[in-house]
Amino acid sequence: QVQLVESGGGLVQPGGSLKLSCADSGFGFGNFALAWYRQISGKEREQVACISDGGGATYYTHSVKGRFTISRDDAKMTLYLQMDSLKPEDTAVYFCARASWVSFLGGKLECRASDGDFLGQGTQVTVSS
């Protein structure tokens, strides 16, 4: 049974940095594309970034491009999200997920996780002065 444990969130001032981790305990971690999502209370979950199996391709939503970096360590079965130049609008609960849908149309990576792919509690990131 897959379990995902997100960690690394906290309170940080605007312009600061945090590094999130997602520890996966299930079989076949290295065979999946992985994604970070975030959710503000009362709003839809938003995809932040995605990384292909093997780590050779990544996707970022426009609002975090150039500030966030997604990476993975398959030996440690861990997904990471380095967040720099944080803004108040980055405040949310961050979740990781194994992607159940992946596309490489036109050389661009896209991935999607469905509701059943979110198996962790998330980690709260608050950006405030």
Side-chain angles (χ1 to χ4, degrees):
Q1 186 176 356
V2 176
Q3 287 187 316
L4 302 172
V5 180
E6 300 95 343
S7 62
L11 173 63
V12 64
Q13 292 187 341
S17 298
L18 283 174
K19 186 172 185 177
L20 306 184
S21 298
C22 169
D24 187 314
S25 62
F27 177 77
F29 175 86
N31 297 326
F32 285 86
L34 305 168
W36 284 102
Y37 282 71
R38 63 188 179 187
Q39 187 170 26
I40 300 169
S41 180
K43 294 193 174 181
E44 291 285 319
R45 195 152 33 200
E46 170 195 30
Q47 187 180 84
V48 174
C50 178
I51 187 167
S52 63
D53 60 301
T58 56
Y59 162 85
Y60 298 93
T61 193
H62 178 74
S63 62
V64 308
K65 274 185 185 176
R67 301 189 298 120
F68 290 12
T69 304
I70 189 171
S71 62
R72 62 189 294 162
D73 185 331
D74 287 354
K76 295 182 179 179
M77 294 178 62
T78 302
L79 175 70
Y80 301 100
L81 186 68
Q82 176 67 45
M83 306 188 296
D84 299 318
S85 302
L86 282 161
K87 303 176 180 180
E89 51 264 43
D90 295 317
T91 296
V93 179
Y94 284 71
F95 299 88
C96 60
R98 293 186 177 192
S100 52
W101 180 88
V102 182
S103 169
F104 277 103
L105 276 178
K108 287 187 176 181
L109 173 69
E110 289 187 49
C111 75
R112 296 285 184 273
S114 57
D115 286 346
D117 297 321
F118 294 94
L119 303 173
Q121 298 299 309
T123 186
Q124 174 71 48
V125 172
T126 302
V127 185
S128 175
S129 54

